[in-house]
Amino acid sequence: MELQAQLKSLADKINLLKDKIETEESTKHAFILPFVNILGYDSFNPTEVVPEFTADLGLKKGEKVDYAIFQNGDPILIVECKNWKENLSIHGSQLFRYFHVTKTRFALLTNGVNYQFYTDLEEKNKMDEKPFLEFDITNLKDNVVNEIAKFHKSAFDVNKIVSNASSLKYTKEIKKQIDNELQNPSVEFVKLFANKVYSGRLTEKVMEEFKELVQKGFNQFISEKINDRLNAALNKEAQKQKEEQIEVLVEDENKVVTTDEEMDAYRIVVAILRRKLPVERIVHRDTQSYFGILLDDNNRKPLCRLHLNGNKKYISLFHDNKKEAKHPLERIDDIYLFEKELLETVGVYEGE
């Protein structure tokens, strides 16, 4: 979660600043070196991050790659940087030349927004033409964050990354081919399905008809699958909410006693959140187990929960994944220490 939060913070910074960044050098310092630091490497330590790294290229002397990241005295990743506005597709040649004269198995081409990681799956010590991992840092998916984590200093393992790189690369290419077939089905693709459902001769006219049918059939199939999953998720969430409401209703109201301390704590939470929310949207709901504070009186939108009636006092906070995390309180005024987290929870629900 920490890595994901750091990458999200960098992505926010990039979106905020990129229009003010004009040069490649500024891109390096504002976007790329912070990414290197997130991976656990100290960009100010010349034994870990070497700028303007030079390798012997035989007849071609004096050419340098922007950075080389070292571990245990050996380069593990060479990095070629470009201005964030530049298209990376035309800039792989220099990195390609460097790859085979260093001990590294990995190369990174980046403009600070788009990242392309390469290795040598096709031929040993010769950089592949296509990256095995490619992403836009401003639009990261969870599975990509997991792959980035493998390059972190604390987890870096050459053999594990190379082994996984093959799966990543070919899965990506297969997905691309599937997309191409769905957009414009090839003759072979159409024949594959036409032969299974049509017993007549596959004339040119029949193939034209089946091309449209195959494309239509796949689009409908995908749409139906998505709807099925959405409906299943909605039904599951509705059932969960119903169970929570029943749980609240069946509690013996006589056993629920709202204390003055709980109301004082509620007022502190309101004082913090009223900068972002109208007071009427911050609703408290007391239960036998905890004193809950909800957004819009919605069980699916807990802002926090207060546990004040036991020997030890706690506040429960809810982050991006809505997983409850308890934090001890010495006194209710300590709630002010969690101002940032409370406001961030509001931001998640409000889509900020």
Side-chain angles (χ1 to χ4, degrees), residues 50-58 60-70 75 78-80 94 97-99 101-103:
V50 180
E52 298 296 310
F53 178 67
T54 303
D56 184 4
L57 292 178
K60 197 170 182 66
K61 303 286 186 180
E63 198 171 14
K64 300 175 180 178
V65 72
D66 290 299
Y67 298 103
I69 297 177
F70 277 69
I78 53 175
V79 185
E80 179 68 13
Q94 185 176 353
R97 292 195 299 271
Y98 264 93
F99 190 88
V101 295
T102 64
K103 294 180 180 179

Side-chain angles (χ1 to χ4, degrees), residues 41-248:
Y41 303 98
D42 184 357
S43 59
F44 294 102
N45 183 347
T47 66
E48 283 193 357
V49 181
V50 180
E52 298 296 310
F53 178 67
T54 303
D56 184 4
L57 292 178
L59 297 176
K60 197 170 182 66
K61 303 286 186 180
E63 198 171 14
K64 300 175 180 178
V65 72
D66 290 299
Y67 298 103
I69 297 177
F70 277 69
Q71 199 170 79
N72 300 323
D74 292 321
I76 58 170
L77 177 67
I78 53 175
V79 185
E80 179 68 13
C81 307
K82 297 300 172 187
N83 188 306
W84 75 269
K85 298 177 182 179
E86 291 194 40
N87 187 333
L88 295 182
S89 61
I90 59 174
H91 290 296
S93 59
Q94 185 176 353
L95 204 55
F96 185 88
R97 292 195 299 271
Y98 264 93
F99 190 88
H100 80 279
V101 295
T102 64
K103 294 180 180 179
T104 183
R105 294 291 303 276
F106 305 107
L108 168 61
L109 178 61
T110 180
N111 60 10
V113 178
N114 297 299
Y115 286 74
Q116 296 178 352
F117 283 84
Y118 295 83
T119 188
D120 54 354
L121 296 173
E122 303 290 342
E123 186 177 338
K124 191 172 181 180
N125 208 31
K126 182 179 179 182
M127 192 178 88
D128 297 335
E129 291 185 7
K130 295 181 179 180
F132 69 89
L133 177 62
E134 188 172 5
F135 57 85
D136 178 338
I137 197 171
T138 64
N139 186 27
L140 285 177
K141 295 179 173 59
D142 289 345
N143 64 312
V144 174
V145 174
N146 292 335
E147 298 306 324
I148 295 172
K150 293 181 174 69
F151 281 91
H152 195 278
K153 181 181 177 181
S154 63
F156 186 83
D157 185 309
V158 173
N159 294 327
K160 286 183 180 179
I161 298 176
V162 171
S163 176
N164 192 51
S166 178
S167 174
L168 283 173
K169 179 179 178 179
Y170 295 118
T171 299
K172 183 181 75 172
E173 291 301 314
I174 289 170
K175 287 164 64 178
K176 188 181 294 183
Q177 291 302 316
I178 291 173
D179 184 57
N180 290 339
E181 294 289 2
L182 294 181
Q183 297 299 325
N184 185 27
S186 65
V187 173
E188 293 81 5
F189 193 69
V190 174
K191 277 185 177 180
L192 175 65
F193 294 96
N195 279 325
K196 292 180 181 296
V197 299
Y198 184 73
S199 58
R201 194 165 71 90
L202 296 178
T203 63
E204 185 176 342
K205 183 179 179 181
V206 171
M207 286 292 291
E208 274 300 314
E209 291 176 356
F210 267 96
K211 180 177 181 179
E212 183 177 342
L213 290 172
V214 167
Q215 190 173 22
K216 184 178 180 180
F218 263 92
N219 287 333
Q220 288 181 357
F221 176 80
I222 292 170
S223 178
E224 288 168 3
K225 282 294 181 183
I226 291 172
N227 286 333
D228 288 345
R229 294 192 68 176
L230 284 174
N231 288 332
L234 289 172
N235 290 336
K236 184 177 179 180
E237 186 63 31
Q239 181 63 27
K240 181 180 177 183
Q241 186 177 9
K242 184 178 179 181
E243 289 172 357
E244 288 177 348
Q245 290 171 343
I246 292 172
E247 181 183 344
V248 171

Side-chain angles (χ1 to χ4, degrees), residues 273-290:
L273 297 181
R274 67 184 305 166
R275 285 181 291 161
K276 276 197 168 187
L277 293 170
V279 173
E280 59 270 17
R281 295 186 66 191
I282 309 168
V283 180
H284 68 80
R285 188 181 293 176
D286 201 358
T287 72
Q288 287 180 249
S289 305
Y290 57 83

